[in-house]
Amino acid sequence: MMTLQRTIEDITSFMFLEDSNQICNLIIIPGTSQTQPIDIAKKIIDSGKASKLLITGGNNPKLHDVTEAEFLKNYAINIGVSNKDIIIETKAKNTLENVIFSSHIVKKFGLKSKNVLLISKNYHARRILTTFEEYFQMDVNFFVISYIDELGITKDNWYVDSARKEKIFSEIYKIGKYHFKNKNEYEKKAEYKPN
């Protein structure tokens, strides 16, 4: 049982990361149908630790008639984030496209930032970070702030039932899949010019 406990601790340490809130010119929120990341972003913007918000995300079956990015932008404006501080990307269908298309948007709008804050579901934070580090086409430092989504998965309970374990191991698998993704496919996607 001791060996299993060590494995649980090692996986927990790897998967559930949380950086301290850094001063960043740019916050990026990868697509989701949940509003928690916008609430977090608003607090950070209001504190003066960030000035621009890039929301990326295309169609989501949970949302009707709007993309993830449009849904989150509307919510952000409704809670007081200035429209002029929000940029959206509406075509991305997965984490890799969130990263590649965000990179194009940052270049298109000339958003210079040495530090970028990523806001992610807690169990998705490692994949977000590694994918941005691998595929973002600019030299920046990434920091991650995470939240607990409707699945309620935390570092203290991910290993207690099979559904939560499956979610964590699916994330680990996808980290490897994205890391070893065919670079030719990446280069083809990198030619895409989002909205």
Side-chain angles (χ1 to χ4, degrees):
M1 190 58 133
M2 256 331 229
T3 304
L4 182 58
Q5 184 59 38
R6 179 177 174 192
T7 300
I8 289 170
E9 290 170 3
D10 289 346
I11 292 170
T12 301
S13 176
F14 177 71
M15 291 300 294
F16 293 88
L17 57 100
E18 180 89 17
D19 292 318
S20 61
N21 193 353
Q22 303 290 320
I23 295 177
C24 302
N25 292 350
L26 179 63
I27 297 171
I28 299 177
I29 298 176
T32 181
S33 61
Q34 299 174 45
T35 58
Q36 297 100 309
I38 297 297
D39 295 328
I40 294 167
K42 181 172 184 336
K43 287 178 187 170
I44 294 167
I45 291 168
D46 288 349
S47 75
K49 290 189 174 185
S51 56
K52 291 287 184 192
L53 175 59
L54 170 56
I55 307 167
T56 173
N59 294 328
N60 181 326
K62 293 180 184 176
L63 303 172
H64 304 288
D65 302 324
V66 294
T67 64
E68 292 170 327
E70 292 163 334
F71 169 75
L72 291 175
K73 177 182 180 180
N74 292 339
Y75 178 76
I77 291 168
N78 285 339
I79 65 168
V81 178
S82 173
N83 186 39
K84 70 177 180 51
D85 295 330
I86 304 170
I87 299 165
I88 62 171
E89 180 289 307
T90 61
K91 305 247 189 287
K93 298 181 292 262
N94 56 52
T95 302
L96 182 57
E97 289 183 357
N98 289 140
V99 174
I100 293 169
F101 301 166
S102 292
S103 180
H104 286 293
I105 293 285
V106 167
K107 287 179 183 175
K108 176 182 174 180
F109 285 91
L111 302 173
K112 305 256 189 271
S113 185
K114 189 67 179 152
N115 297 326
V116 172
L117 179 64
L118 308 170
I119 301 177
S120 168
K121 298 170 187 170
N122 60 349
Y123 58 83
H124 188 53
R126 178 61 66 180
R127 180 155 59 108
I128 286 290
L129 179 62
T130 58
T131 307
F132 268 90
E133 288 175 340
E134 179 79 15
Y135 290 98
F136 200 73
Q137 300 171 4
M138 300 174 73
D139 183 27
V140 298
N141 300 311
F142 292 104
F143 300 92
V144 179
I145 291 188
S146 63
Y147 62 94
I148 299 169
D149 74 356
E150 80 274 2
L151 298 177
I153 297 173
T154 70
K155 63 183 180 179
D156 298 319
N157 73 12
W158 71 265
Y159 49 86
V160 299
D161 67 54
S162 59
R164 289 175 176 162
K165 282 187 226 176
E166 186 175 322
K167 191 68 168 169
I168 294 300
F169 285 107
S170 170
E171 285 293 314
I172 292 170
Y173 167 77
K174 290 174 185 176
I175 290 168
K177 179 181 171 186
Y178 283 11
H179 182 71
F180 296 108
K181 196 146 188 88
N182 182 325
K183 292 295 183 175
N184 291 331
E185 182 179 339
Y186 160 70
E187 289 169 3
K188 185 171 74 175
K189 286 179 182 282
E191 295 300 316
Y192 173 78
K193 303 294 186 226
N195 28 353

